[in-house]
Amino acid sequence: MYDLGARRVLVTGTGPLGCVPAELGMRSRNGQCAPELQQAAALFNPQLVQMLTNLNTKIGGHVFIAANAQQMHMDFISDPQAYGFVTSKVACCGQGPYNGIGLCTPASNLCPNRDLYAFWDPFHPSEKANKFIVQQIMSGSNKYMNPMNLSTIMALDSIE
């Protein structure tokens, strides 16, 4: 990508694979995240950051920026009420346990207010949850963005 002219590439790590309603619906009996999938994400994401750091070192700049999607999601999964959600376990639209089985179709259960749910369907964050994620991409700390957030990148690029 760099050789083709890309000068800024935002790379998003994997989210909390074991905590999405689809996995809760298939694997969880008590609402707990699937530990083996969470472990896989916990192993992958730091390796992704290290790989991007190595690429940036080789290139000699901050071309590749890592977004820690797992941490962004885990904030509202761990404490949904702090973000205005009633739940982070049940999808707004779906079927079966946690509304986590199948796709969102006309036959699905549909919540009365999607802004109260962290997940829209068995896999995807709701619009409100995505707004929190975008806020972290734009102005989040190094807890979420490595080596810097998008606002910092844009400020640097405007003076170059």
Side-chain angles (χ1 to χ4, degrees):
M1 291 178 73
Y2 181 79
D3 291 341
L4 294 173
R7 291 302 174 259
R8 299 287 187 201
V9 180
L10 181 66
V11 182
T12 305
T14 184
L17 301 175
C19 297
V20 298
E23 293 305 327
L24 297 179
M26 290 189 298
R27 299 172 185 255
S28 183
R29 294 203 172 119
N30 58 4
Q32 298 301 309
C33 300
E36 63 279 2
L37 294 175
Q38 288 299 95
Q39 179 67 22
L43 291 170
F44 174 81
N45 288 322
Q47 291 179 53
L48 175 66
V49 170
Q50 187 58 55
M51 181 188 73
L52 297 177
T53 300
N54 292 344
L55 280 171
N56 284 334
T57 299
K58 181 179 176 182
I59 292 168
H62 296 298
V63 174
F64 296 95
I65 311 299
N68 188 338
Q70 176 154 1
Q71 187 59 55
M72 293 174 194
H73 284 75
M74 287 309 296
D75 286 351
F76 58 78
I77 287 172
S78 300
D79 190 3
Q81 288 74 26
Y83 293 84
F85 300 121
V86 295
T87 182
S88 61
K89 297 183 183 312
V90 179
C92 178
C93 186
Q95 301 141 37
Y98 306 99
N99 273 349
I101 307 299
L103 301 174
C104 182
T105 69
S108 296
N109 299 314
L110 184 61
C111 70
N113 182 350
R114 66 179 178 244
D115 285 340
L116 297 178
Y117 289 73
F119 285 91
W120 162 247
D121 67 12
F123 296 98
H124 302 99
S126 65
E127 180 180 358
K128 183 176 177 181
N130 275 318
K131 286 179 183 178
F132 290 120
I133 293 166
V134 169
Q135 285 173 349
Q136 296 307 332
I137 290 171
M138 288 302 296
S139 57
S141 69
N142 287 67
K143 174 181 175 183
Y144 304 103
M145 300 297 296
N146 186 300
M148 65 191 88
N149 62 45
L150 196 52
S151 294
T152 303
I153 294 166
M154 291 177 2
L156 288 173
D157 287 350
S158 71
I159 59 174
E160 289 181 1

